[in-house]
Amino acid sequence: MIDFWIGASLLLLVALAFLLVPVLRGHRAQAEEDRTSLNVALYEERLAELAAQQAAGTLTRQQFEAGRADAARELLDDTEGGETHRISNLGRAIPLIAAILVPLLGYGLYMHWGASDKLELAREFTEQPGSMAEMIGRLERAVKAQPESTEAWYFLARTYMNQERPADAAGAYEQVVKLAGRQPDILGQWAQALYFAEDRQWSAQMQSLTDEALKGDPHEVTSLGLLGIAAYEDERFEEAIGYWERLVATLPAEDPSREAIQGGIARAREQMGEPSVAVQSDSGDAAVDAAAVAPGMSVDVRLDAKLAGEVQPTDAVFVFARAVSGPPMPLAVKRLTVADLPATVNLSDADAMTPQLRLSNFEQVRLFARISRSGDATRGEWQGRSEPVAPSDEDTIKLTIDQPETPKP
């Protein structure tokens, strides 16, 4: 910003020069006018002396006329080449007042309507952020400086989701919808953020958003996947199969999430009591048993005995897997309560939060178990974590909740 203010100061000096130079010239003109007035006064005084001498009889008529002619010649000689400029006091004061007010007025107008904050943000975005928190801070300042920027709000919403802040993401998506209109893909992402922000509890607002999204685009993938997840968790397995089959038909043949969705369809069929069926890939390869696509990871979750008095039986327990090298979003999640512990849970691709992120896509993951009295899956009071493990590991991983969780800023 220093170079900006230096440039502004130079421009201000140029503007002041246009105001002050005429004032300085006016002072010279005033001095010339004062000298001329003095000469005229001397001329008039000389004429008075000549008239007095003539009246006293010391000068003849011819001598009086000659003396007056000499005085007039001297007056002309003194004022020759000079120009008289009459400048009123008000005319001299206006430029001086303007010279004082222009800088103050310009500064005030710039601070009110200027864009110094936007200029500083533009410079920040040219530099690589040191951390994700710094990046979020930049985006938050960007939407504050440019609340009408659809792109800034959208990137902020996506970043919030990646940082497991779905409630903040939902608010940002709402702003995107207000600015960009009710586009089907944005409506679907807004509903998804609300779903995770409200602890995976379906609501009328989410239903309305997904219905509107699918009305605008019957193949909107986020809405189809979300409706399938919600129906599955509500044990409406037939509806879940219907949504997921529509989603599979929409995705391109090479999309890696197709297998995870087909695995979820097979799992829903098993819950309905139907036998596992083979799913044929569009490429014509040999069919595979959908139930065996993602056998999952077996996790033995226990509570450290020292924490028995610190928790309540109704406290929520979230067991989830997160990629060691990859997005921060959980890849698979299961919910229990403290009363269920100890318990053995299975995490698989069928438990994926989104069809695009699944366990089998990553070589190594870390397992977590989090106790949250408020039921918020993104933060809690106690946790346990494992060392990096491979999703294909067939051994049961033991996970003990024994560490206080550091509050997020």
Side-chain angles (χ1 to χ4, degrees):
M1 293 294 294
I2 295 178
D3 54 349
F4 168 77
W5 288 113
I6 291 175
S9 300
L10 292 175
L11 292 176
L12 179 60
L13 290 175
V14 173
L16 290 177
F18 282 100
L19 294 172
L20 296 178
V21 168
V23 173
L24 297 176
R25 289 179 177 174
H27 283 304
R28 294 209 317 253
Q30 181 64 41
E32 182 68 25
E33 180 181 354
D34 293 342
R35 188 169 68 87
T36 301
S37 298
L38 178 62
N39 291 333
V40 171
L42 293 173
Y43 170 73
E44 291 176 348
E45 183 180 350
R46 176 63 175 159
L47 288 183
E49 292 177 355
L50 292 174
Q53 291 176 1
Q54 183 184 17
T58 58
L59 290 180
T60 64
R61 177 72 180 173
Q62 291 78 8
Q63 291 174 327
F64 173 79
E65 293 296 336
R68 186 173 64 175
D70 290 339
R73 190 180 305 106
E74 291 177 359
L75 176 63
L76 289 176
D77 291 339
D78 290 338
T79 59
E80 186 178 0
E83 295 182 2
T84 302
H85 301 280
R86 300 193 175 271
I87 302 177
S88 66
N89 291 332
L90 180 61
R92 291 194 298 270
I94 288 178
L96 292 175
I97 295 173
I100 297 173
L101 292 181
V102 164
L104 296 177
L105 183 61
Y107 179 78
L109 292 175
Y110 179 77
M111 295 306 295
H112 183 71
W113 282 299
S116 59
D117 51 349
K118 297 179 182 179
L119 177 62
E120 187 65 24
L121 275 174
R123 291 188 175 183
E124 286 187 13
F125 276 105
T126 61
E127 302 174 359
Q128 187 71 18
S131 64
M132 185 57 68
E134 183 179 346
M135 185 63 190
I136 291 177
R138 291 181 184 179
L139 288 170
E140 288 174 340
R141 291 194 297 276
V143 298
K144 185 177 180 180
Q146 296 177 295
E148 74 288 349
S149 174
T150 305
E151 294 79 6
W153 279 110
Y154 181 74
F155 284 123
L156 181 60
R158 294 293 299 269
T159 305
Y160 278 149
M161 285 297 291
N162 289 336
Q163 292 298 300
E164 301 181 56
R165 296 170 59 180
D168 294 328
Y173 278 126
E174 184 176 5
Q175 293 298 321
V176 176
V177 170
K178 289 179 180 179
L179 294 170
R182 306 183 73 82
Q183 301 179 21
D185 57 331
I186 304 299
L187 294 175
Q189 293 176 62
W190 182 11
Q192 184 184 66
L194 288 171
Y195 180 68
F196 293 118
E198 298 180 14
D199 196 20
R200 302 169 74 96
Q201 299 298 313
W202 197 249
S203 68
Q205 182 184 12
M206 300 171 203
Q207 187 68 52
S208 175
L209 289 172
T210 51
D211 287 346
E212 183 179 352
L214 292 177
K215 183 178 180 181
D217 180 5
H219 305 296
E220 205 284 298
V221 294
T222 304
S223 297
L224 290 173
L226 183 61
L227 286 166
I229 293 173
Y232 184 91
E233 294 192 352
D234 198 33
E235 298 185 357
R236 293 180 283 114
F237 302 115
E238 188 172 355
E239 290 184 35
I241 292 171
Y243 288 123
W244 283 338
E245 286 181 341
R246 288 171 60 185
L247 179 57
V248 170
T250 299
L251 295 174
E254 65 277 7
D255 195 301
S257 63
R258 288 172 60 90
E259 290 184 8
I261 300 168
Q262 289 167 339
I265 293 172
R267 194 181 182 91
R269 292 189 185 279
E270 286 183 350
Q271 295 291 336
M272 294 174 61
E274 298 181 7
S276 299
V277 296
V279 289
Q280 183 72 27
S281 67
D282 292 345
S283 60
D285 295 338
V288 294
D289 188 351
V293 168
M297 306 177 68
S298 179
V299 187
D300 180 28
V301 185
R302 296 178 179 273
L303 178 68
D304 191 294
K306 297 178 181 179
L307 300 182
E310 303 290 337
V311 297
Q312 298 179 3
T314 56
D315 289 349
V317 179
F318 296 95
V319 184
F320 58 94
R322 183 182 292 162
V324 173
S325 298
M329 287 284 287
L331 305 177
V333 181
K334 283 286 179 66
R335 176 172 178 164
L336 308 170
T337 64
V338 170
D340 297 325
L341 302 180
T344 300
V345 299
N346 182 269
L347 296 177
S348 69
D349 286 347
D351 302 307
M353 295 181 66
T354 63
Q356 293 78 17
L357 297 176
R358 53 191 181 124
L359 280 169
S360 56
N361 282 347
F362 299 89
E363 295 183 357
Q364 283 194 321
V365 299
R366 182 176 273 114
L367 299 172
F368 296 82
R370 171 182 290 154
I371 295 179
S372 174
R373 180 157 299 173
S374 65
D376 186 348
T378 64
R379 61 193 67 195
E381 294 74 39
W382 303 94
Q383 72 170 353
R385 62 166 62 191
S386 72
E387 295 299 321
V389 294
S392 58
D393 193 338
E394 297 181 358
D395 296 333
T396 299
I397 294 94
K398 296 185 181 298
L399 199 55
T400 302
I401 303 174
D402 56 0
Q403 301 287 331
E405 184 167 356
T406 303
K408 295 182 179 179

